[in-house]
Amino acid sequence: RKQVLMRHPDKRRQAGEVVDENNDYFTCIQKANDTLSDETKRRSYDSVDNHFDDSIPDKNDAKSEEFYTLFAPVFQRNSRWSKKPFSPELGDDSTEFTTVDKFYSFWYNFDSWREFSYLDEEDKEKAENRDERRYLDKLNKAERTRRKAEESRRIRQLVELAHEYDPRIRRWEEENKRQKEQARQEKQNRIQQRKLEESARLEEERRKQQAAAEEAEAQKRRDAEETRRQREAQKG
């Protein structure tokens, strides 16, 4: 704004400068001021920062380089696009798992304010009529949507790659796998134990039934023997 006031053509004319209305740098200054002073235009302009590094690591990088040194600065610089004012940090090898889990939850649901209208290739203001303006606007919106989708994929690839190679996640997955295997084995042991107990119960029940049957048979023989003796006594 200060530059707009200082470089205004009227002020420069008063200072004796010759101003060419058709080719004057003030137009650029005014356009820059209009862009930077308008929140929507400023966000559009900031979204296409030519100095911003959009690159993300690949699998070869993740395999060969130290995880935290490789990924921490990438997440840090991309956090500038977050709609939320505070972005969680990657942390280090001693970071608690609940904090790590919140970190990935944040990035898997990353909400970016970055948009690409500043790169519109079609100037709808130059259209000759309303239909042409609508058509150019449609082309621009389609291109913005494509760029936005590419940006979302870029962030998603970053998060998924980091999650895949994060040593804390790997340790947790291994521990989780171990606990599940232990729980499975314990369950299998309980099932086997119940089978053994049931088998023992059935065997005990069979022995009792067999003993009862043998006792009944023996009692039957004793009764028969007693009946025979009583008959012989009566005959005598």
Side-chain angles (χ1 to χ4, degrees), residues 95-227:
T95 303
E96 293 184 358
F97 182 75
T98 52
T99 303
V100 176
D101 190 48
K102 289 179 181 178
F103 171 84
Y104 283 107
S105 177
F106 173 88
W107 281 97
Y108 269 118
N109 297 282
F110 187 68
D111 192 7
S112 172
W113 57 259
R114 197 178 191 188
E115 56 96 36
F116 301 93
S117 59
Y118 192 79
L119 297 177
D120 285 352
E121 297 181 0
E122 307 294 341
D123 188 355
K124 65 180 182 180
E125 300 304 324
K126 295 181 180 179
E128 296 181 357
N129 54 58
R130 183 176 61 181
D131 289 339
E132 186 176 356
R133 280 196 298 274
R134 287 178 176 175
Y135 174 71
L136 296 179
D137 189 47
K138 182 179 180 181
L139 292 179
N140 287 332
K141 286 181 178 180
E143 185 62 15
R144 291 176 208 165
T145 300
R146 184 189 67 78
R147 287 193 172 106
K148 185 71 173 179
E150 285 184 353
E151 172 68 0
S152 296
R153 283 195 295 271
R154 185 182 71 85
I155 295 295
R156 188 75 178 187
Q157 287 172 1
L158 168 64
V159 180
E160 290 180 347
L161 185 65
H163 191 274
E164 180 181 354
Y165 285 90
D166 193 324
R168 300 163 301 185
I169 298 296
R170 288 186 168 185
R171 285 198 300 270
W172 178 81
E173 289 177 343
E174 289 173 1
E175 176 61 18
N176 191 46
K177 181 179 180 181
R178 186 193 66 78
Q179 290 180 0
K180 285 183 177 180
E181 177 60 24
Q182 181 179 345
R184 187 195 68 80
Q185 188 61 49
E186 289 176 352
K187 180 179 180 181
Q188 189 66 29
N189 291 341
R190 289 194 298 271
I191 293 174
Q192 186 64 27
Q193 183 62 28
R194 284 198 295 269
K195 286 182 178 179
L196 291 174
E197 291 173 354
E198 179 64 12
S199 178
R201 185 189 68 78
L202 292 174
E203 178 62 20
E204 179 65 19
E205 184 175 326
R206 185 192 66 78
R207 285 198 298 267
K208 289 181 178 180
Q209 290 176 348
Q210 182 177 357
E214 290 174 353
E215 175 60 24
E217 183 64 25
Q219 184 64 43
K220 183 178 180 181
R221 288 195 296 271
R222 288 194 294 271
D223 291 344
E225 181 62 23
E226 179 65 22
T227 300

Side-chain angles (χ1 to χ4, degrees), residues 84-101:
K84 297 180 179 180
F86 300 104
S87 302
E89 295 183 351
L90 179 62
D92 55 33
D93 213 47
S94 63
T95 303
E96 293 184 358
F97 182 75
T98 52
T99 303
V100 176
D101 190 48

Side-chain angles (χ1 to χ4, degrees), residues 42-74:
R42 176 63 182 265
R43 177 162 291 186
S44 175
Y45 174 78
D46 288 342
S47 292
V48 290
D49 183 355
N50 291 328
H51 300 291
F52 181 76
D53 183 3
D54 277 314
S55 65
I56 61 174
D58 58 25
K59 287 197 173 186
N60 290 330
D61 297 327
K63 290 177 181 178
S64 62
E65 298 186 36
E66 202 276 329
F67 176 80
Y68 304 104
T69 303
L70 176 64
F71 282 96
V74 184

